[in-house]
Amino acid sequence: MTNTPDAPDALLSAEIPPPVAAPELPALRRRIQAVLITSQILGGLGIAIGVALAAVLAKDVSGTEALSGLASTATVAGPALLAMPLAALMSTRGRRAGLVLAYLVGALGACVVVLGAVVDSFPLLLLGLVGFGAGSSANLAARFAAADLAEPERRARAISTVVWATTIGAVLGPNIAAPAGRSVAGLGIPAAAGPFVWAAGVFLLAAVLMAVLLRPDPLLTARALAGPADREEADGRSLRAGMRAVRESSRARLALVTVAASHTAMVSIMSMTPVALSHHGAGIELIGLVISGHIAGMYAFSPVMGWLSDRLGRLSVIGLAVGLLSVAALLAGTAGPSHGRTAVGLFVLGLGWSAGLVSGSALLTDSVPQAARAAVQGLSDFTMNTAAGIGGLMAGLIVAEAGYGWLNVVGACLLLPMAALAVRGAVRRA
């Protein structure tokens, strides 16, 4: 049986992949990982190009700085809204269909953002930003696609390598935003909307790359290798079955809490750090350097976290994540006018997020049956993005009422359930 499509619809079909012999697996793993890494670079680039000027565009269209913060809220809402439908699609049709859909939604959202800017409609702009943000769902889902065919003892490293690739796009994106804005001069498109024109093209390119090159589908191939019983267990791939799998596994619950708590603590503290820095006299350049260091901590060292997760175990690196995130909250929360201390705190915050995301994602994949993995992984992305969205909204209120220091205290408290479950899991294994 071949995978050659006879019609355009076949690009997203859930064909049963051909048998893969054991000697062919290493080469297949390398090829799938190379495709996923390329898509991560493109996806990270597309998001970073647009995000760089999203708040500026929202201010220009709305006419007030008070509403510009809704731009980041809308982009965070996108992946949360798409996470569960994406999981349902991937559970039945494989990773390729889900990744293509996510990139296409991101491209469509970017086009709607441009339209909203041209017709000066703030509601339309926000709607477009939700769709644009949903494009990042592909980058989140790709880390699990990297784990589908990885050996269990190298699963965390496979995840971390794909996460690391986002660094390239995230670094390049903001630097391309200015020329992207200039490129639309004379077309009747505001300069601040120019990056979204480019982002739409980048997302479309990533969608084509996934549709053409992500063959055979890694999730469907993993199921085929698991045996005929797993392929026939259709009910086991439903979202309800995924939720049941989490309820029945204490390690899956720990993984879910780890990913959600790490992400929420990071987003909550990071989102208000520029405000805290500006209150202590930091300029835009310095704030940009601090956030760049934070992003480096998030992505650049993820392969180290993957190696540690495989060598020392998932629970050990979850403990490391708790420690790093707690230290980050202490440093940032007590920095006051010390910009250097804040910068160190934000860098450590990125490292803690990386440790939590990589170890938690690997543990989640380890802890549930093959049939339920896509559904459980979608539930994880939904939970982490929803929690982070709420955390980002609450962060502003906490800073306004109590100050940046107390925000870091609250962020550290979010880690308590994660720490308690990790200790409980370690005791059980002892």
Side-chain angles (χ1 to χ4, degrees):
M1 176 177 181
T2 65
N3 288 336
T4 303
D6 295 322
D9 289 346
L11 286 174
L12 301 183
S13 65
E15 75 275 4
I16 298 174
V20 178
E24 298 173 341
L25 269 176
L28 177 59
R29 291 187 183 110
R30 289 192 296 270
R31 186 170 64 79
I32 292 295
Q33 187 174 64
V35 174
L36 291 172
I37 287 173
T38 305
S39 75
Q40 285 293 94
I41 295 173
L42 291 172
L45 179 63
I47 287 292
I49 292 174
V51 166
L53 291 178
V56 174
L57 185 60
K59 173 183 173 297
D60 292 345
V61 174
S62 67
T64 173
E65 288 187 357
L67 296 178
S68 62
L70 290 178
S72 61
T73 301
T75 55
V76 170
L81 291 173
L82 191 60
M84 296 307 282
L86 205 60
L89 178 63
M90 288 190 291
S91 291
T92 56
R93 292 186 173 271
R95 300 290 186 195
R96 185 160 50 91
L99 292 172
V100 169
L101 175 65
Y103 283 129
L104 290 178
V105 170
L108 177 61
C111 292
V112 174
V113 169
V114 175
L115 178 61
V118 171
V119 302
D120 205 32
S121 170
F122 189 62
L124 191 61
L125 178 75
L126 289 181
L127 177 63
L129 286 171
V130 171
F132 168 75
S136 65
S137 298
N139 280 37
L140 291 172
R143 75 188 194 275
F144 290 123
D148 287 332
L149 293 175
E151 308 98 313
E153 66 276 10
R154 297 183 60 87
R155 190 169 282 151
R157 275 170 281 186
I159 291 172
S160 65
T161 300
V162 171
V163 171
W164 169 85
T166 308
T167 310
I168 301 173
V171 170
L172 289 177
N175 296 301
I176 296 175
R182 292 192 296 268
S183 70
V184 297
L187 299 178
I189 299 174
F196 291 93
V197 176
W198 284 37
V202 171
F203 281 146
L204 285 174
L205 179 60
V208 172
L209 177 77
M210 289 290 97
V212 175
L213 298 183
L214 197 66
R215 294 173 178 273
D217 187 282
L219 179 60
L220 300 182
T221 302
R223 286 177 180 166
L225 292 171
D230 188 77
R231 290 198 300 270
E232 295 168 2
E233 193 182 348
D235 181 62
R237 299 196 291 266
S238 67
L239 294 177
R240 181 178 298 178
M243 295 178 186
R244 184 171 62 248
V246 172
R247 288 196 303 268
E248 293 174 352
S249 170
S250 60
R251 287 167 64 82
R253 292 194 298 273
L254 167 60
L256 204 66
V257 170
T258 295
V259 172
S262 300
H263 193 57
T264 303
M266 183 277 291
V267 169
S268 300
I269 295 172
M270 180 272 295
S271 65
M272 297 308 298
T273 298
V275 176
L277 285 169
S278 65
H279 285 169
H280 289 289
I284 294 176
E285 294 81 4
L286 179 57
I287 292 173
L289 285 174
V290 171
I291 298 302
S292 294
H294 169 68
I295 292 172
M298 288 175 64
Y299 297 114
F301 295 88
S302 58
V304 176
M305 301 305 174
W307 181 82
L308 290 173
S309 294
D310 286 335
R311 291 296 298 272
L312 303 180
R314 320 305 192 211
L315 293 180
S316 297
V317 180
I318 288 174
L320 176 63
V322 172
L324 288 171
L325 291 167
S326 299
V327 170
L330 176 64
L331 289 171
T334 59
S338 175
H339 298 153
R341 189 184 181 103
T342 302
V344 173
L346 264 287
F347 175 74
V348 176
L349 184 71
L351 289 178
W353 175 87
S354 181
L357 183 77
V358 171
S359 60
S361 299
L363 180 63
L364 188 70
T365 304
D366 294 340
S367 304
V368 296
Q370 171 65 249
R373 281 179 185 170
V376 170
Q377 290 158 351
L379 177 63
S380 171
D381 285 347
F382 170 77
T383 303
M384 68 181 279
N385 283 297
T386 301
I390 295 171
L393 289 173
M394 295 301 297
L397 297 176
I398 294 171
V399 170
E401 295 297 325
Y404 181 69
W406 279 105
L407 171 63
N408 283 271
V409 172
V410 173
C413 289
L414 293 175
L415 306 174
L416 293 176
M418 172 177 159
L421 288 174
V423 170
R424 182 180 179 186
V427 170
R428 283 183 173 180
R429 293 191 66 183

Coordinates of all heavy atoms in Angstrom, one line a residue, residues 54-56 58-59 62 64-78 122-123 125-127 129-130 393:
A54 N 2.1 43.5 17.8 CA 0.7 43.3 18.1 C 0.1 44.3 19.0 O -1.0 44.9 18.7 CB 0.4 41.9 18.7
A55 N 0.8 44.6 20.1 CA 0.2 45.6 21.0 C 0.2 47.0 20.4 O -0.7 47.8 20.6 CB 1.1 45.7 22.3
V56 N 1.3 47.3 19.6 CA 1.3 48.6 18.9 C 0.1 48.8 17.9 O -0.5 49.8 17.8 CB 2.6 48.8 18.1 CG1 2.7 50.1 17.3 CG2 3.8 48.8 19.1
A58 N -2.7 47.1 18.0 CA -4.0 47.3 18.8 C -4.2 48.7 19.3 O -5.3 49.2 19.3 CB -3.9 46.3 20.0
K59 N -3.1 49.3 19.8 CA -3.2 50.7 20.2 C -3.6 51.6 19.1 O -4.4 52.5 19.2 CB -1.9 51.1 20.8 CG -1.8 52.6 21.2 CD -0.4 53.0 21.7 CE -0.3 54.5 21.9 NZ -0.4 55.3 20.7
S62 N -7.4 50.8 18.1 CA -8.3 51.2 19.2 C -8.2 52.6 19.6 O -9.2 53.2 20.1 CB -8.1 50.3 20.4 OG -6.8 50.6 21.0
T64 N -6.3 53.8 22.0 CA -6.0 54.0 23.4 C -5.1 52.9 23.9 O -5.2 51.8 23.4 CB -7.3 54.0 24.2 OG1 -6.9 54.0 25.6 CG2 -8.1 52.7 23.9
E65 N -4.2 53.3 24.7 CA -3.2 52.3 25.3 C -4.0 51.3 26.2 O -3.5 50.2 26.5 CB -2.1 53.0 26.1 CG -1.1 53.7 25.2 CD 0.1 54.2 26.0 OE1 0.1 54.1 27.2 OE2 1.0 54.8 25.4
A66 N -5.1 51.8 26.8 CA -5.8 50.9 27.8 C -6.3 49.6 27.2 O -6.4 48.6 27.9 CB -7.0 51.7 28.3
L67 N -6.5 49.6 25.9 CA -7.0 48.4 25.2 C -5.9 47.6 24.5 O -6.1 46.5 24.0 CB -8.1 48.7 24.2 CG -9.4 49.3 24.7 CD1 -10.4 49.6 23.6 CD2 -10.1 48.3 25.7
S68 N -4.7 48.1 24.5 CA -3.6 47.4 23.8 C -3.2 46.1 24.4 O -2.8 45.2 23.7 CB -2.4 48.3 23.7 OG -1.9 48.6 25.0
G69 N -3.4 46.0 25.7 CA -3.1 44.7 26.4 C -4.0 43.6 26.0 O -3.6 42.4 26.2
L70 N -5.2 43.9 25.4 CA -6.0 42.8 24.9 C -5.4 42.0 23.7 O -5.9 40.9 23.5 CB -7.4 43.4 24.5 CG -8.3 43.9 25.6 CD1 -9.6 44.5 25.0 CD2 -8.6 42.8 26.6
A71 N -4.4 42.6 23.1 CA -3.7 41.9 22.0 C -3.1 40.6 22.5 O -3.2 39.6 21.9 CB -2.7 42.8 21.4
S72 N -2.3 40.7 23.6 CA -1.7 39.5 24.2 C -2.7 38.5 24.7 O -2.5 37.3 24.5 CB -0.7 39.9 25.3 OG -1.4 40.6 26.3
T73 N -3.8 39.0 25.3 CA -4.8 38.1 25.8 C -5.5 37.4 24.6 O -5.7 36.2 24.7 CB -5.9 39.0 26.5 OG1 -5.4 39.7 27.6 CG2 -7.0 38.0 27.0
A74 N -5.7 38.0 23.5 CA -6.3 37.4 22.3 C -5.4 36.3 21.8 O -5.8 35.2 21.4 CB -6.6 38.4 21.3
T75 N -4.1 36.6 21.7 CA -3.1 35.6 21.1 C -3.0 34.4 22.1 O -2.7 33.3 21.6 CB -1.8 36.2 20.9 OG1 -1.2 36.8 22.1 CG2 -1.8 37.3 19.8
V76 N -3.1 34.6 23.4 CA -3.0 33.5 24.3 C -4.3 32.6 24.2 O -4.3 31.4 24.4 CB -2.8 34.0 25.8 CG1 -3.0 32.8 26.8 CG2 -1.4 34.6 25.9
A77 N -5.5 33.3 24.0 CA -6.7 32.6 23.9 C -6.8 31.7 22.7 O -7.4 30.6 22.8 CB -7.9 33.6 23.8
G78 N -6.1 32.0 21.6 CA -6.1 31.2 20.4 C -5.7 29.8 20.6 O -6.5 28.9 20.3
F122 N -11.5 47.4 15.5 CA -10.8 46.7 16.7 C -11.4 45.3 17.0 O -10.6 44.4 17.2 CB -10.9 47.6 17.9 CG -10.1 47.2 19.0 CD1 -8.7 47.1 18.9 CD2 -10.6 46.8 20.2 CE1 -7.9 46.6 20.0 CE2 -9.9 46.3 21.3 CZ -8.5 46.3 21.2
P123 N -12.7 45.1 17.0 CA -13.2 43.8 17.2 C -12.7 42.8 16.1 O -12.3 41.6 16.5 CB -14.7 43.9 17.1 CG -15.0 45.3 17.4 CD -13.8 46.1 16.9
L125 N -9.9 43.0 14.5 CA -8.5 42.8 14.8 C -8.3 41.8 15.9 O -7.4 40.9 15.8 CB -7.9 44.2 15.2 CG -6.4 44.1 15.6 CD1 -5.5 44.0 14.4 CD2 -6.0 45.4 16.4
L126 N -9.1 41.9 17.0 CA -9.0 40.9 18.1 C -9.3 39.5 17.6 O -8.7 38.6 18.0 CB -9.9 41.4 19.2 CG -9.4 42.6 20.0 CD1 -10.4 42.8 21.2 CD2 -8.0 42.4 20.6
L127 N -10.4 39.4 16.8 CA -10.7 38.1 16.3 C -9.6 37.5 15.5 O -9.3 36.3 15.6 CB -12.0 38.2 15.4 CG -12.5 36.9 14.7 CD1 -12.9 35.9 15.7 CD2 -13.6 37.2 13.7
L129 N -6.4 38.2 15.9 CA -5.3 37.8 16.8 C -5.6 36.5 17.5 O -4.6 35.8 17.8 CB -5.1 39.0 17.8 CG -4.5 40.2 17.3 CD1 -4.5 41.3 18.3 CD2 -3.0 40.0 16.9
V130 N -6.9 36.2 17.7 CA -7.2 34.9 18.3 C -6.8 33.8 17.3 O -6.1 32.8 17.7 CB -8.7 34.8 18.6 CG1 -9.0 33.3 19.0 CG2 -9.0 35.7 19.8
L393 N -4.1 37.6 33.1 CA -5.1 38.6 33.5 C -5.0 38.9 34.9 O -5.1 40.1 35.3 CB -6.5 38.0 33.2 CG -6.9 37.9 31.7 CD1 -8.3 37.3 31.5 CD2 -6.9 39.3 31.0

